[in-house]
Amino acid sequence: MTPIRAYVVRIYRQERTGIDGVVEDVKTGRARPFHSIVELWDALRTTRRGGARKDAPPPAPPLED
């Protein structure tokens, strides 16, 4: 069984062009900044050993108005 991972996601700035924030791993206390939705997704998909999971595709970028 895969252990459950918990994260705190702080979004500091959200604009039409992207977002800025930090993802913190609750267990380790490590924080990883992100500057786009793709970087946020990568931070959440990364395992503690440093490899990325391959079972979930990244989200589609937001549509422009």
Side-chain angles (χ1 to χ4, degrees):
M1 182 173 182
T2 304
I4 295 174
R5 298 181 323 206
Y7 298 95
V8 174
V9 178
R10 293 183 178 93
I11 298 175
Y12 296 113
R13 190 174 323 142
Q14 182 174 0
E15 299 176 9
R16 292 184 68 144
T17 58
I19 60 175
D20 290 316
V22 175
V23 175
E24 181 180 341
D25 185 315
V26 172
K27 184 174 182 177
T28 65
R30 292 183 186 162
R32 180 174 172 180
F34 60 88
H35 305 288
S36 71
I37 193 73
V38 173
E39 289 181 11
L40 169 59
W41 186 248
D42 286 343
L44 294 173
R45 289 181 11 164
T46 303
T47 63
R48 283 182 222 122
R49 291 184 301 255
R53 288 177 38 187
K54 304 213 187 292
D55 60 345
L63 298 175
E64 295 183 23
D65 292 333

